[in-house]
Structures are given as C-alpha cells and as structure tokens.
Coordinates of all heavy atoms in Angstrom, one line a residue:
M1 N -13.3 -1.0 -3.9 CA -12.1 -0.7 -3.1 C -11.6 -2.1 -2.6 O -12.2 -3.0 -2.3 CB -12.6 0.0 -1.9 CG -12.8 1.4 -2.0 SD -13.3 2.1 -0.4 CE -12.1 3.5 -0.5
N2 N -10.3 -2.0 -2.6 CA -9.6 -3.3 -2.2 C -9.4 -3.2 -0.6 O -9.5 -2.1 0.1 CB -8.3 -3.5 -2.8 CG -7.2 -2.6 -2.8 OD1 -7.5 -1.7 -1.9 ND2 -6.3 -2.5 -3.4
F3 N -8.9 -4.4 -0.1 CA -8.8 -4.5 1.4 C -7.8 -3.6 2.0 O -8.0 -3.0 3.1 CB -8.5 -5.9 1.7 CG -8.2 -6.2 3.2 CD1 -9.4 -6.2 4.1 CD2 -7.0 -6.4 3.7 CE1 -9.1 -6.5 5.4 CE2 -6.8 -6.5 5.1 CZ -7.9 -6.7 5.9
K4 N -6.7 -3.3 1.3 CA -5.6 -2.5 1.9 C -6.2 -0.9 2.0 O -5.8 -0.3 2.9 CB -4.5 -2.5 0.9 CG -3.2 -2.1 1.6 CD -2.0 -2.7 0.8 CE -0.8 -2.7 1.7 NZ 0.4 -3.2 1.1
R5 N -7.0 -0.4 1.0 CA -7.6 0.9 1.2 C -8.5 0.9 2.3 O -8.6 1.9 3.0 CB -8.1 1.3 -0.2 CG -7.0 1.5 -1.1 CD -7.7 2.1 -2.5 NE -6.8 2.0 -3.4 CZ -6.9 2.3 -4.7 NH1 -8.3 2.5 -5.2 NH2 -6.1 2.4 -5.7
I6 N -9.3 0.0 2.4 CA -10.3 0.0 3.4 C -9.5 -0.2 4.8 O -10.0 0.6 5.8 CB -11.3 -1.3 3.4 CG1 -12.1 -1.0 2.2 CG2 -12.2 -1.3 4.6 CD1 -12.9 -2.1 1.6
L7 N -8.5 -1.0 5.0 CA -7.9 -1.0 6.2 C -7.1 0.3 6.5 O -7.1 0.7 7.7 CB -6.8 -2.1 6.1 CG -5.9 -2.3 7.3 CD1 -6.6 -2.7 8.5 CD2 -4.7 -3.3 7.1
G8 N -6.6 0.9 5.6 CA -5.9 2.3 5.8 C -6.9 3.3 6.3 O -6.7 4.1 7.2
I9 N -8.0 3.4 5.7 CA -9.2 4.3 6.1 C -9.6 4.0 7.4 O -9.8 4.9 8.3 CB -10.3 4.4 5.0 CG1 -9.9 4.9 3.7 CG2 -11.5 5.0 5.5 CD1 -10.8 4.7 2.6
A10 N -9.7 2.6 7.8 CA -10.1 2.4 9.1 C -9.1 2.8 10.2 O -9.5 3.2 11.2 CB -10.4 0.8 9.1
L11 N -7.9 2.5 9.9 CA -6.8 3.0 10.9 C -6.8 4.5 10.9 O -6.5 4.9 12.1 CB -5.4 2.5 10.2 CG -5.1 0.9 10.4 CD1 -3.8 0.5 9.7 CD2 -5.2 0.5 11.9
I12 N -7.0 5.1 9.9 CA -6.8 6.7 10.1 C -8.1 7.1 10.9 O -8.0 8.0 11.8 CB -6.9 7.4 8.7 CG1 -5.7 7.0 7.9 CG2 -7.4 8.7 8.8 CD1 -5.7 7.5 6.4
C13 N -9.3 6.5 10.7 CA -10.6 6.9 11.5 C -10.3 6.5 13.0 O -10.5 7.4 13.9 CB -11.7 6.3 11.0 SG -12.2 6.9 9.3
A14 N -9.8 5.4 13.2 CA -9.6 4.9 14.6 C -8.5 5.8 15.3 O -8.7 6.1 16.5 CB -9.2 3.4 14.7
G15 N -7.5 6.0 14.6 CA -6.4 6.9 15.2 C -7.0 8.2 15.5 O -6.5 8.8 16.5
A16 N -7.7 8.9 14.6 CA -8.2 10.1 14.8 C -9.1 10.3 16.0 O -9.1 11.2 16.8 CB -8.9 10.7 13.5
I17 N -10.1 9.3 16.1 CA -10.8 9.3 17.2 C -10.2 9.0 18.6 O -10.3 9.9 19.6 CB -11.9 8.0 17.1 CG1 -12.9 8.4 16.0 CG2 -12.7 7.7 18.4 CD1 -13.8 7.2 15.6
L18 N -9.2 8.2 18.6 CA -8.4 8.0 19.8 C -7.5 9.2 20.1 O -7.6 9.8 21.3 CB -7.3 6.9 19.7 CG -8.0 5.4 20.0 CD1 -6.8 4.4 19.5 CD2 -8.4 5.3 21.4
A19 N -7.0 9.9 19.1 CA -6.1 11.1 19.3 C -7.0 12.3 19.8 O -6.5 13.1 20.6 CB -5.4 11.3 18.1
I20 N -8.1 12.5 19.2 CA -8.9 13.7 19.5 C -9.7 13.4 20.8 O -9.7 14.4 21.8 CB -10.0 13.9 18.3 CG1 -9.1 14.4 17.1 CG2 -11.0 15.1 18.7 CD1 -9.9 14.5 15.9
F21 N -10.5 12.3 20.9 CA -11.4 12.2 22.0 C -10.8 11.5 23.3 O -11.3 11.8 24.4 CB -12.7 11.6 21.5 CG -13.5 12.4 20.5 CD1 -13.5 11.8 19.2 CD2 -14.0 13.5 20.7 CE1 -14.2 12.5 18.2 CE2 -14.6 14.3 19.7 CZ -14.7 13.7 18.5
F22 N -9.9 10.6 23.0 CA -9.5 9.8 24.2 C -7.9 10.0 24.5 O -7.2 9.0 24.7 CB -9.8 8.3 23.9 CG -11.1 8.0 23.8 CD1 -11.7 7.8 22.4 CD2 -12.0 8.2 24.8 CE1 -13.0 7.6 22.3 CE2 -13.4 7.8 24.7 CZ -13.9 7.6 23.4
W23 N -7.4 11.2 24.4 CA -6.0 11.4 24.6 C -5.5 10.9 25.9 O -4.6 10.3 26.0 CB -5.7 12.9 24.3 CG -4.3 13.2 24.3 CD1 -3.5 13.5 25.4 CD2 -3.3 13.0 23.1 NE1 -2.1 13.6 25.0 CE2 -2.1 13.4 23.7 CE3 -3.5 12.7 21.9 CZ2 -0.9 13.3 22.8 CZ3 -2.4 12.7 21.1 CH2 -1.1 13.0 21.5
D24 N -6.3 11.2 27.0 CA -5.9 10.9 28.3 C -6.5 9.5 28.8 O -6.2 9.2 30.0 CB -6.5 12.0 29.4 CG -5.7 13.4 29.0 OD1 -4.5 13.3 28.5 OD2 -6.2 14.5 29.2
L25 N -7.1 8.8 28.0 CA -7.6 7.5 28.3 C -6.4 6.6 28.8 O -5.4 6.4 28.0 CB -8.3 6.7 27.3 CG -8.8 5.4 27.4 CD1 -9.9 5.4 28.6 CD2 -9.4 4.7 26.2
K26 N -6.4 6.1 30.0 CA -5.4 5.2 30.3 C -5.9 3.9 30.9 O -6.8 3.9 31.8 CB -4.5 6.0 31.5 CG -3.2 5.6 31.6 CD -2.5 6.4 32.6 CE -1.0 6.1 32.6 NZ -0.3 6.9 33.5
Y27 N -5.4 2.8 30.4 CA -5.7 1.4 30.9 C -4.5 0.6 30.9 O -3.9 0.3 29.8 CB -6.8 0.9 29.9 CG -7.1 -0.6 30.4 CD1 -8.0 -0.8 31.5 CD2 -6.7 -1.6 29.7 CE1 -8.3 -2.1 31.9 CE2 -7.0 -3.1 30.1 CZ -7.9 -3.1 31.2 OH -8.4 -4.4 31.6
Q28 N -3.9 0.4 32.1 CA -2.7 -0.3 32.2 C -1.5 0.4 31.4 O -1.1 1.7 31.7 CB -2.7 -1.6 32.1 CG -3.6 -2.4 32.9 CD -3.7 -3.9 32.6 OE1 -3.1 -4.4 31.7 NE2 -4.5 -4.6 33.5
W29 N -1.0 -0.1 30.3 CA 0.0 0.4 29.6 C -0.5 1.3 28.5 O 0.2 2.1 27.8 CB 1.0 -0.5 29.1 CG 0.5 -1.5 28.1 CD1 -0.2 -2.7 28.6 CD2 0.2 -1.4 26.9 NE1 -0.8 -3.4 27.4 CE2 -0.7 -2.6 26.4 CE3 0.5 -0.5 25.8 CZ2 -0.8 -2.9 25.0 CZ3 0.2 -0.8 24.5 CH2 -0.4 -1.9 24.1
F30 N -1.8 1.1 28.2 CA -2.5 1.7 27.0 C -2.7 3.2 27.3 O -3.3 3.6 28.3 CB -3.7 0.9 26.7 CG -4.6 1.6 25.7 CD1 -4.4 1.4 24.3 CD2 -5.7 2.3 26.0 CE1 -5.1 2.1 23.5 CE2 -6.5 3.0 25.1 CZ -6.2 2.8 23.7
K31 N -2.3 4.0 26.4 CA -2.6 5.5 26.4 C -3.2 6.0 25.1 O -2.6 5.6 24.0 CB -1.4 6.3 26.8 CG -1.7 7.7 27.3 CD -0.7 8.3 28.0 CE -1.1 9.6 28.4 NZ -0.1 10.4 29.1
G32 N -4.4 6.5 25.1 CA -5.1 6.7 23.9 C -4.5 7.7 22.8 O -4.4 7.4 21.6
G33 N -3.9 8.8 23.3 CA -3.3 9.8 22.3 C -2.1 9.3 21.5 O -2.3 9.4 20.3
P34 N -1.1 8.9 22.2 CA 0.0 8.3 21.2 C -0.2 7.1 20.5 O 0.2 7.1 19.3 CB 1.0 8.0 22.4 CG 0.7 8.7 23.7 CD -0.8 8.9 23.6
L35 N -1.2 6.3 21.0 CA -1.6 5.2 20.1 C -2.3 5.6 18.9 O -2.1 5.2 17.8 CB -2.3 4.1 20.9 CG -2.7 3.0 20.1 CD1 -1.6 2.1 19.6 CD2 -3.7 2.0 20.9
G36 N -3.2 6.6 19.1 CA -4.0 7.2 18.0 C -3.1 7.9 17.0 O -3.4 7.7 15.8
V37 N -2.1 8.6 17.4 CA -1.2 9.2 16.5 C -0.4 8.0 15.7 O -0.2 8.2 14.5 CB -0.1 10.1 17.2 CG1 0.9 10.6 16.3 CG2 -0.8 11.3 17.8
L38 N 0.0 7.0 16.3 CA 0.7 5.9 15.7 C -0.2 5.2 14.6 O 0.1 5.0 13.5 CB 1.1 5.0 16.7 CG 1.8 3.7 16.1 CD1 3.1 4.2 15.4 CD2 2.1 2.7 17.1
L39 N -1.4 5.1 15.0 CA -2.5 4.5 14.0 C -2.7 5.5 12.8 O -2.9 5.0 11.8 CB -3.8 4.2 14.7 CG -3.8 3.0 15.7 CD1 -5.1 2.9 16.3 CD2 -3.4 1.8 15.0
L40 N -2.8 6.7 13.1 CA -3.0 7.7 12.0 C -1.7 7.5 11.0 O -1.9 7.5 9.9 CB -2.9 9.2 12.4 CG -4.2 9.6 13.0 CD1 -4.1 10.9 13.7 CD2 -5.2 9.8 11.8
I41 N -0.4 7.6 11.6 CA 0.7 7.4 10.7 C 0.7 6.1 9.9 O 1.0 6.1 8.7 CB 1.9 7.5 11.6 CG1 2.0 8.9 12.1 CG2 3.2 7.3 10.7 CD1 3.1 9.1 13.1
I42 N 0.4 5.0 10.6 CA 0.3 3.7 9.8 C -0.7 3.8 8.8 O -0.6 3.1 7.7 CB 0.2 2.6 10.8 CG1 1.4 2.5 11.8 CG2 -0.1 1.2 10.2 CD1 1.3 1.4 12.9
G43 N -1.9 4.2 9.1 CA -3.0 4.3 8.1 C -2.7 5.1 6.9 O -3.0 4.8 5.8
V44 N -2.0 6.3 7.1 CA -1.7 7.2 6.0 C -0.7 6.4 5.1 O -0.7 6.4 3.8 CB -1.1 8.5 6.5 CG1 -0.4 9.2 5.4 CG2 -2.2 9.3 7.1
I45 N 0.4 5.7 5.7 CA 1.4 5.0 4.9 C 0.7 3.9 4.1 O 1.0 3.7 3.1 CB 2.5 4.5 5.9 CG1 3.4 5.7 6.4 CG2 3.4 3.5 5.2 CD1 4.2 5.3 7.5
D46 N -0.2 3.2 4.8 CA -0.8 2.0 4.1 C -1.6 2.5 3.0 O -1.7 1.9 1.9 CB -1.6 1.2 5.2 CG -2.0 -0.1 4.8 OD1 -1.3 -0.7 4.1 OD2 -3.1 -0.6 5.1
L47 N -2.4 3.6 3.2 CA -3.3 4.1 2.1 C -2.4 4.7 1.0 O -2.8 4.4 -0.2 CB -4.2 5.2 2.8 CG -5.4 5.6 2.0 CD1 -6.3 4.4 1.7 CD2 -6.1 6.8 2.7
A48 N -1.4 5.4 1.3 CA -0.5 5.9 0.1 C 0.2 4.7 -0.6 O 0.3 4.8 -1.8 CB 0.6 6.7 0.8
E49 N 0.7 3.7 0.2 CA 1.2 2.7 -0.6 C 0.0 1.9 -1.4 O 0.5 1.4 -2.5 CB 1.6 1.6 0.4 CG 2.4 0.4 -0.1 CD 2.9 -0.6 1.0 OE1 3.5 -0.1 1.9 OE2 2.5 -1.7 0.9
S50 N -1.0 1.8 -1.0 CA -2.2 1.2 -1.8 C -2.3 2.0 -3.1 O -2.6 1.3 -4.2 CB -3.5 1.2 -0.9 OG -4.6 0.8 -1.8
F51 N -2.5 3.3 -3.0 CA -2.6 4.1 -4.3 C -1.4 4.0 -5.1 O -1.5 4.0 -6.3 CB -2.9 5.5 -3.9 CG -4.4 5.7 -3.4 CD1 -4.7 6.0 -2.2 CD2 -5.5 5.6 -4.4 CE1 -6.0 6.2 -1.7 CE2 -6.7 5.7 -3.9 CZ -7.0 6.1 -2.8
R52 N -0.3 4.0 -4.6 CA 1.0 3.9 -5.4 C 1.1 2.6 -6.0 O 1.5 2.6 -7.3 CB 2.2 4.2 -4.6 CG 3.5 4.3 -5.2 CD 4.6 4.6 -4.3 NE 5.1 3.4 -3.8 CZ 5.6 3.2 -2.6 NH1 5.7 4.2 -1.8 NH2 5.8 2.0 -2.0
S53 N 0.7 1.6 -5.5 CA 0.9 0.3 -6.1 C -0.2 0.1 -7.3 O 0.0 -0.7 -8.1 CB 1.0 -0.9 -5.1 OG -0.4 -0.9 -4.5
A54 N -1.3 0.8 -7.0 CA -2.4 0.7 -8.0 C -2.0 1.4 -9.4 O -2.4 1.0 -10.5 CB -3.7 1.2 -7.5
D55 N -1.2 2.5 -9.0 CA -0.8 3.4 -10.3 C 0.4 2.7 -11.1 O 0.6 2.9 -12.2 CB -0.4 4.7 -9.9 CG -1.7 5.5 -9.3 OD1 -2.7 5.1 -9.7 OD2 -1.4 6.5 -8.6
R56 N 1.1 1.9 -10.3 CA 2.3 1.2 -11.0 C 1.9 0.2 -11.9 O 1.0 -0.5 -11.6 CB 3.3 0.9 -10.0 CG 4.7 1.3 -10.1 CD 5.6 0.6 -9.2 NE 5.3 1.1 -7.8 CZ 5.8 0.5 -6.7 NH1 6.5 -0.6 -6.8 NH2 5.6 1.0 -5.5
K57 N 2.8 -0.1 -12.9 CA 2.5 -1.3 -13.8 C 3.0 -2.5 -13.0 O 3.8 -2.3 -12.2 CB 3.3 -1.1 -15.1 CG 2.8 -0.2 -16.1 CD 3.6 -0.2 -17.4 CE 3.0 0.7 -18.4 NZ 3.9 0.7 -19.5
K58 N 2.3 -3.6 -13.4 CA 2.8 -4.9 -12.6 C 4.2 -5.2 -13.0 O 4.6 -5.3 -14.1 CB 1.9 -6.0 -13.1 CG 1.9 -7.1 -12.2 CD 0.8 -8.0 -12.5 CE 0.6 -9.0 -11.4 NZ -0.4 -9.9 -11.6
S59 N 5.0 -5.4 -12.0 CA 6.5 -5.7 -12.1 C 6.6 -7.0 -12.8 O 6.0 -8.1 -12.3 CB 7.2 -5.6 -10.8 OG 8.5 -5.8 -11.0
R60 N 7.5 -7.1 -13.7 CA 7.8 -8.6 -14.3 C 9.0 -9.2 -13.7 O 9.1 -10.5 -13.9 CB 8.1 -8.3 -15.9 CG 7.0 -7.7 -16.6 CD 7.4 -7.5 -18.1 NE 8.6 -7.0 -18.2 CZ 8.7 -5.8 -18.8 NH1 7.7 -5.3 -19.3 NH2 9.9 -5.1 -19.0
G61 N 9.7 -8.4 -12.9 CA 10.9 -9.1 -12.2 C 12.0 -9.2 -13.1 O 12.1 -8.9 -14.3
I62 N 13.2 -9.8 -12.6 CA 14.5 -9.9 -13.4 C 14.2 -10.9 -14.5 O 14.8 -10.6 -15.6 CB 15.6 -10.5 -12.4 CG1 15.7 -9.3 -11.4 CG2 16.8 -10.8 -13.2 CD1 16.8 -9.7 -10.4
V63 N 13.6 -12.1 -14.3 CA 13.3 -13.0 -15.5 C 12.5 -12.4 -16.7 O 12.9 -12.6 -17.8 CB 12.8 -14.3 -14.9 CG1 12.4 -15.2 -16.0 CG2 13.6 -14.9 -13.8
G64 N 11.5 -11.7 -16.2 CA 10.7 -11.0 -17.3 C 11.5 -9.9 -18.1 O 11.4 -9.9 -19.3
E65 N 12.4 -9.3 -17.4 CA 13.2 -8.3 -18.0 C 14.3 -9.0 -19.0 O 14.5 -8.5 -20.2 CB 14.0 -7.3 -17.1 CG 13.0 -6.4 -16.2 CD 12.5 -5.4 -17.0 OE1 13.2 -4.9 -18.0 OE2 11.4 -5.0 -16.7
L66 N 14.8 -10.0 -18.5 CA 15.8 -10.8 -19.4 C 15.2 -11.4 -20.6 O 15.6 -11.4 -21.8 CB 16.5 -11.9 -18.6 CG 17.6 -11.5 -17.6 CD1 18.0 -12.6 -16.8 CD2 18.7 -10.9 -18.3
R67 N 13.9 -11.8 -20.5 CA 13.0 -12.3 -21.6 C 12.9 -11.3 -22.6 O 12.9 -11.5 -24.0 CB 11.8 -13.0 -21.1 CG 11.9 -14.3 -20.5 CD 10.5 -14.9 -20.2 NE 10.8 -16.1 -19.6 CZ 9.8 -16.7 -18.7 NH1 8.7 -16.1 -18.5 NH2 10.0 -17.9 -18.2
D68 N 12.6 -10.1 -22.1 CA 12.3 -9.0 -23.1 C 13.5 -8.6 -23.8 O 13.5 -8.4 -25.0 CB 11.8 -7.7 -22.3 CG 10.3 -7.8 -22.1 OD1 9.7 -8.7 -22.6 OD2 9.7 -7.0 -21.2
D69 N 14.7 -8.5 -23.0 CA 16.0 -8.2 -23.6 C 16.4 -9.2 -24.6 O 17.0 -8.9 -25.8 CB 17.0 -8.1 -22.5 CG 16.8 -6.8 -21.8 OD1 16.0 -6.0 -22.2 OD2 17.3 -6.8 -20.6
L70 N 16.2 -10.6 -24.4 CA 16.6 -11.6 -25.3 C 15.6 -11.9 -26.4 O 15.9 -12.7 -27.4 CB 16.9 -12.9 -24.6 CG 18.1 -12.7 -23.5 CD1 18.2 -13.9 -22.7 CD2 19.3 -12.4 -24.2
G71 N 14.3 -11.4 -26.2 CA 13.4 -11.7 -27.3 C 12.6 -13.0 -27.1 O 12.0 -13.4 -28.1
I72 N 12.8 -13.6 -25.9 CA 12.2 -14.9 -25.8 C 10.7 -14.6 -25.2 O 10.6 -14.0 -24.1 CB 12.8 -15.8 -24.8 CG1 14.3 -16.0 -25.3 CG2 12.1 -17.1 -24.5 CD1 15.2 -16.5 -24.3
N73 N 9.6 -15.1 -25.8 CA 8.3 -14.9 -25.5 C 8.0 -13.4 -25.2 O 7.4 -13.1 -24.1 CB 8.0 -15.7 -24.2 CG 7.9 -17.1 -24.4 OD1 7.7 -17.6 -25.5 ND2 8.3 -17.9 -23.3
S74 N 8.4 -12.6 -25.9 CA 8.3 -11.1 -25.8 C 7.0 -10.7 -26.3 O 6.8 -10.7 -27.6 CB 9.4 -10.4 -26.2 OG 9.2 -9.0 -26.1
R75 N 6.1 -10.1 -25.6 CA 4.8 -9.6 -26.1 C 5.1 -8.2 -26.9 O 4.5 -7.9 -27.8 CB 3.8 -9.3 -25.0 CG 3.3 -10.7 -24.4 CD 2.3 -10.3 -23.3 NE 2.0 -11.5 -22.6 CZ 1.8 -11.6 -21.2 NH1 1.7 -10.5 -20.6 NH2 1.6 -12.7 -20.7
R76 N 6.2 -7.5 -26.3 CA 6.6 -6.2 -26.8 C 7.1 -6.4 -28.2 O 6.6 -5.7 -29.0 CB 7.5 -5.6 -25.9 CG 7.8 -4.1 -26.3 CD 8.7 -3.4 -25.4 NE 10.0 -4.2 -25.3 CZ 10.9 -3.9 -24.5 NH1 10.9 -2.9 -23.7 NH2 12.1 -4.6 -24.5
R77 N 7.8 -7.5 -28.5 CA 8.3 -7.6 -29.8 C 7.2 -8.0 -30.8 O 7.2 -7.6 -31.9 CB 9.5 -8.6 -30.0 CG 10.7 -8.1 -29.1 CD 11.9 -9.0 -29.4 NE 12.7 -8.3 -30.2 CZ 13.9 -8.8 -30.5 NH1 14.3 -10.0 -30.2 NH2 14.8 -8.1 -31.2
D78 N 6.3 -8.8 -30.3 CA 5.2 -9.2 -31.2 C 4.3 -8.0 -31.5 O 3.9 -7.9 -32.6 CB 4.3 -10.2 -30.5 CG 5.0 -11.6 -30.2 OD1 6.0 -11.8 -31.0 OD2 4.6 -12.4 -29.5
D79 N 4.2 -7.2 -30.5 CA 3.3 -5.8 -30.8 C 4.1 -5.1 -31.9 O 3.5 -4.4 -32.7 CB 3.1 -5.1 -29.6 CG 2.1 -5.9 -28.7 OD1 1.4 -6.7 -29.2 OD2 2.1 -5.5 -27.5
D80 N 5.5 -5.0 -31.7 CA 6.2 -4.2 -32.7 C 6.1 -4.8 -34.1 O 6.1 -4.0 -35.1 CB 7.7 -4.1 -32.2 CG 7.9 -3.3 -30.9 OD1 6.9 -2.4 -30.6 OD2 8.9 -3.4 -30.4
R81 N 6.1 -6.0 -34.2 CA 6.1 -6.6 -35.5 C 4.8 -6.3 -36.2 O 4.7 -6.4 -37.5 CB 6.3 -8.2 -35.5 CG 7.7 -8.5 -35.1 CD 7.8 -10.0 -35.0 NE 9.2 -10.3 -34.4 CZ 9.4 -11.5 -33.8 NH1 8.5 -12.4 -33.7 NH2 10.7 -11.7 -33.3
R82 N 3.6 -6.4 -35.4 CA 2.4 -6.1 -36.0 C 2.2 -4.7 -36.5 O 1.4 -4.5 -37.3 CB 1.3 -6.3 -34.9 CG 1.1 -7.7 -34.6 CD 0.1 -8.0 -33.5 NE 0.2 -9.3 -33.0 CZ -0.3 -9.7 -31.8 NH1 -1.0 -8.8 -31.0 NH2 -0.2 -10.9 -31.4
Q83 N 2.9 -3.8 -36.1 CA 2.7 -2.3 -36.4 C 3.5 -2.0 -37.6 O 3.9 -2.2 -38.5 CB 3.1 -1.4 -35.3 CG 2.3 -1.5 -34.0 CD 2.8 -0.6 -32.9 OE1 3.9 0.1 -33.0 NE2 2.1 -0.5 -31.9

C-alpha cells in the first residue's frame, strides 16, 4: 500500500470516530461532528484519487505525445516494426 491510500483510510477512520462518538465535543472553536464529516469527505476523495491514478497509465505529457506523433524515440513504432 502506498502512503496516499494509508492516509485516506486513516482520514476516513478518524472522521468516522469523530462524527459518530464525539459529535458534541467542543473545545474552543473545535466541534467534533462537522470536522469528522469533513475528514470523511477528504479521506474518500483522497482514497478515490489514489485508486484512480493507480489504474491510469503514466502520462507522457505534451512532449511525449509529440515525440510519438513525429516518430522520434518512439517505443511504439519500434514495437510495430518488430511485429
């Protein structure tokens, strides 16, 4: 597991604990329930982004795309020639 997934899971757990058990906890400006819900949302977004980026191919960027189009140092063209 990478760091981003562990962080997402930790945020979800901490947010759920705050939202369920400490909703009325109040310490100066801190209130447990709304902060717990916020941590839940951030954790879910972070975890979803982690899984989405793992499924995606590594982006080559604009320069890599231009190299492919022009045939300069293109691995794809070398693979096509071998077949």
Side-chain angles (χ1 to χ4, degrees):
M1 278 184 131
N2 61 9
F3 178 73
K4 204 163 197 175
R5 289 183 185 171
I6 293 171
L7 180 65
I9 292 170
L11 286 173
I12 291 171
C13 292
I17 290 171
L18 279 174
I20 293 171
F21 298 112
F22 300 108
W23 188 268
D24 293 329
L25 178 70
K26 199 171 189 181
Y27 179 75
Q28 292 180 2
W29 61 271
F30 174 78
K31 195 161 183 186
L35 181 63
V37 172
L38 179 67
L39 286 176
L40 275 169
I41 292 170
I42 292 172
V44 167
I45 291 171
D46 199 31
L47 197 60
E49 182 180 310
S50 168
F51 281 114
R52 189 179 74 215
S53 67
D55 292 340
R56 228 187 290 165
K57 288 184 179 178
K58 199 169 192 179
S59 177
R60 293 184 309 249
I62 294 173
V63 175
E65 293 290 330
L66 284 173
R67 283 183 182 158
D68 280 348
D69 292 342
L70 297 174
I72 303 170
N73 294 331
S74 176
R75 293 181 192 148
R76 187 175 60 186
R77 288 189 114 170
D78 291 340
D79 290 341
D80 290 342
R81 289 179 191 159
R82 290 180 192 160
Q83 292 177 356

